[in-house]
Amino acid sequence: MDPHLLTTFVTVARHGSFSAAAAELGYTQSAISQQVAALEADLGLALLRRRPVEPTPAGRRLLEHAEPLLLRLRAARADVLRTAAEPRHLLRLAATPLAVNPVVAARLAEARARQPRLEIRLRMCRAERLAALVAEGRADLGLADGIAAPSDPLRLPDAGPMTTTGVTEEDLVVALPAGHPLAGRASLRLADLIDARWLRTPLCPPARLRDLVGEGFPAGLEYEGDDVRTALNLAAAGHGLTLLPASAVPAGGGGGGGVCAVPVAAPRLVHRVELLHAALPPGAAADLVAALSG
């Protein structure tokens, strides 16, 4: 399959529109239609229904393969170009919402103090985009965070050859309203809360809790942002519980004093931060990796 045609197909399927795909890729709508038709002719299968524009069963199956394949191609190109790149003092760091905890921030400050010419451009993104940004060369380094068993690696998308290193692990707390019946506990088992309503948020998706603990954890209010203070305010108002690293909850709680943070005793889970990067030549990026890895 021609990667060029595959890119066109993925773009049309994502937009659900030939004209929108044409605008994004810089072709005429007729050229987009011809490219999709050429891919369908190559496979001998219809991949898109035209009215409305949506993938056929064969098209949906191809999409499952297409995104990882195209990512690997972009990653290969970026990796080759990196080997010939000149040393730079501007580093692009991508991070998920809770990855830059106090320990990471302090290590960044120490690295900058040792390298006065070092400039860091920090970009926040969702976990599902992080590995792709690093693999495609749009970020030099990535910091990912998530919930895991102690010393277990995070589950990150396959984006080609990538080095991952553990940076920090810290305890988790349940953020619940100050008036909650369990707010006065010294610690909690998540099993005690499987029937409680949880905020549906990228900071702590209920689906991830189900993966780690089992059934339960019904979702309450859906919050699509990743601002910790907003999540704490929602928890304080009773919209749902959430699980956060201990360092993310200010002393005395949050949300105007309406939140109580109770440590999680069982199962033994931690909030983990990992550093990921492709091959790095000696220089500022490699030095920053060493600094962040502690």
Side-chain angles (χ1 to χ4, degrees):
M1 284 181 289
D2 185 332
H4 177 71
L5 301 181
L6 198 57
T7 298
T8 300
F9 164 67
V10 169
T11 307
V12 173
R14 172 160 46 84
H15 285 291
S17 165
F18 282 81
S19 59
E24 177 177 327
L25 297 175
Y27 292 105
T28 64
Q29 185 171 334
S30 174
I32 293 293
S33 297
Q34 291 171 11
Q35 290 172 27
V36 172
L39 182 60
E40 291 177 321
D42 179 31
L43 292 172
L45 294 167
L47 299 174
L48 289 171
R49 297 188 180 94
R50 267 42 178 191
R51 290 186 178 84
V53 177
E54 60 183 13
T56 64
R60 288 195 295 272
R61 180 56 62 88
L62 181 58
L63 285 171
E64 294 176 8
H65 295 282
E67 290 285 12
L69 285 171
L70 293 173
L71 174 57
R72 291 296 294 269
L73 287 171
R74 294 192 297 270
R77 175 184 174 85
D79 193 45
V80 171
L81 293 175
R82 265 191 295 263
T83 63
E86 294 294 324
R88 294 182 296 110
H89 292 281
L90 170 64
L91 293 181
R92 299 160 300 168
L93 178 61
T96 51
L98 294 173
V100 185
N101 59 33
V103 172
V104 170
R107 290 178 183 174
L108 284 173
E110 291 167 4
R112 296 183 66 208
R114 288 195 296 268
Q115 302 179 68
R117 295 179 59 195
L118 178 63
E119 296 180 47
I120 296 176
R121 182 177 298 157
L122 178 61
R123 172 181 181 176
M124 307 309 292
C125 66
R126 297 285 175 85
E128 58 269 21
R129 289 292 303 139
L130 185 75
L133 289 174
V134 176
E136 293 168 0
R138 289 188 282 168
D140 301 298
L141 307 172
L143 283 166
D145 79 274
I147 300 170
S151 301
D152 276 3
L154 299 177
R155 299 188 307 179
L156 299 173
D158 179 13
M162 197 85 68
T163 299
T164 58
T165 307
V167 177
T168 63
E169 286 187 358
E170 65 174 302
D171 292 334
L172 289 161
V173 297
V174 179
L176 33 73
H180 193 282
L182 300 176
R185 294 277 191 92
S187 63
L188 284 169
R189 299 180 307 147
L190 288 183
D192 296 331
L193 300 167
I194 59 173
D195 294 325
R197 292 285 173 183
W198 290 75
L199 292 176
R200 185 186 302 168
T201 164
L203 296 171
C204 176
R208 180 61 178 141
L209 293 180
R210 287 192 290 271
D211 289 344
L212 291 163
V213 182
E215 292 303 315
F217 305 102
L221 181 144
E222 180 172 0
Y223 169 49
E224 296 183 352
D226 47 35
D227 176 70
V228 174
R229 185 171 180 80
T230 299
L232 289 173
N233 284 332
L234 291 170
H239 293 288
L241 312 183
T242 191
L243 201 60
L244 293 169
S247 65
V249 183
V259 161
C260 182
V262 181
V264 176
R268 183 72 178 100
L269 298 172
V270 296
H271 180 262
R272 182 173 171 86
V273 176
E274 290 183 355
L275 179 67
L276 58 155
H277 59 86
L280 294 173
D287 292 343
L288 184 58
V289 167
L292 288 173
S293 302

